[in-house]
């Protein structure tokens, strides 16, 4: 069975005006779908044909299969990104808030670190809040890079590829990053990932309807 293009967990206009419906429709229906389709083409008839997406990402990296890694990691990162966003700005609370206070000082300082990392990142990639041995960290990865292969637990991510914001704010990445950080971060999702302590699982085949 193929890897699924998981549906967006909210209507396409749910994040407007910070991220427009036009951006989400194209980002999910063309970009994310393109990565999923390429993974499915690549694994058909191979020993990974029935593997879950996490296994495919890790196997592709271990085998040095750059093309499969890029498409599989992008498919996973996008599924994770959709869940990292929410229509209502939440606030960190409980154990996650305590960890943020210990490692960053305050949620506001964490937000500043996120904006700085995301706007300073050169070219395409992803900004992440991750939990690891040394506590919480803000990091960024290049291209399809993902914490899924590093052992750190991603709590949420922000897509830094131009296709994530170009229709809305053109080249002004800081405007997109600040809008997302202030208004769209899914803190409930971050708290779930933090308390579980292991990487989020991409919804697998058969659990969600195929699109198209
Ligand atoms: Mn993207």
């Amino acid at each position: 069975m193929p890897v699924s293009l998981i549906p967006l967990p909210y209507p396409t206009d749910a994040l407007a005006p910070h991220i427009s419906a036009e951006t989400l429709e194209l980002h999910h229906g063309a970009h994310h779908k393109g990565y999923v389709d390429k993974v499915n083409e690549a694994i058909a008839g191979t020993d990974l044909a029935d593997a879950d997406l996490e296994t495919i990402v890790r196997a592709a990296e271990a085998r040095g299969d750059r093309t499969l890694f890029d498409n599989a990691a992008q498919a996973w990162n996008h599924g994770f990104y959709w869940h990292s966003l929410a229509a209502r700005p939440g606030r960190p609370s409980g154990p996650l808030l305590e960890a943020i206070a210990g490692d960053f000082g305050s949620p506001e300082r964490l937000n500043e670190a996120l904006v700085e990392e995301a706007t300073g990142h050169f070219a395409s990639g992803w900004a992440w809040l991750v939990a690891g041995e040394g506590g919480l960290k803000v990091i960024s990865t290049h291209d399809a890079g993902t914490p899924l292969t590093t052992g750190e637990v991603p709590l949420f991510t922000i897509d830094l590829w131009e296709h994530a914001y170009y229709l809305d704010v053109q080249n002004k990445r800081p405007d997109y990053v600040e809008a997302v950080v202030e208004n769209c971060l899914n803190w409930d999702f971050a708290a779930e990932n933090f308390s579980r302590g292991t990487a989020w699982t991409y919804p697998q085949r058969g659990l969600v309807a195929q699109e198209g």
Side-chain angles (χ1 to χ4, degrees), residues 5 20 28 30 64 74 94 133 143:
L5 175 64
S20 68
H28 177 261
Q74 283 293 84
E133 298 274 317
D143 301 322

Side-chain angles (χ1 to χ4, degrees), residues 1 3 17-18 53 67 70 82-83 91 136 150 156 165 191 197 208:
M1 290 173 68
V3 172
H18 314 296
L53 187 54
T67 300
D70 284 345
W82 309 136
H83 286 84
R91 292 275 298 175
L136 299 179
T150 66
F156 57 64
Y165 58 86
V208 292

Side-chain angles (χ1 to χ4, degrees), residues 58-145:
R58 292 177 175 128
E61 179 169 87
R63 297 172 185 182
D65 186 338
R66 174 53 60 182
T67 300
L68 179 58
F69 174 83
D70 284 345
N71 286 299
Q74 283 293 84
W76 193 92
N77 288 352
H78 279 90
F80 188 77
Y81 172 61
W82 309 136
H83 286 84
S84 296
L85 305 178
R88 291 161 192 265
R91 292 275 298 175
S93 61
L96 178 56
L97 178 59
E98 289 171 25
I100 290 168
D103 292 332
F104 293 93
S106 68
E108 290 72 26
R109 295 289 299 278
L110 166 57
N111 285 0
E112 288 170 16
L114 275 167
V115 169
E116 184 179 345
E117 182 76 21
T119 58
H121 179 89
F122 184 77
S124 296
W126 302 82
W128 309 81
L129 178 64
V130 299
E133 298 274 317
L136 299 179
K137 280 191 300 185
V138 169
I139 64 166
S140 57
T141 56
H142 287 280
D143 301 322

Side-chain angles (χ1 to χ4, degrees), residues 27 31-32 35 74 78 81-82 126 159-161 163-164:
H27 199 171
H31 292 277
H32 189 189
Y35 296 122
Q74 283 293 84
H78 279 90
Y81 172 61
W82 309 136
W126 302 82
D159 191 336
L160 302 179
W161 288 56
H163 64 231

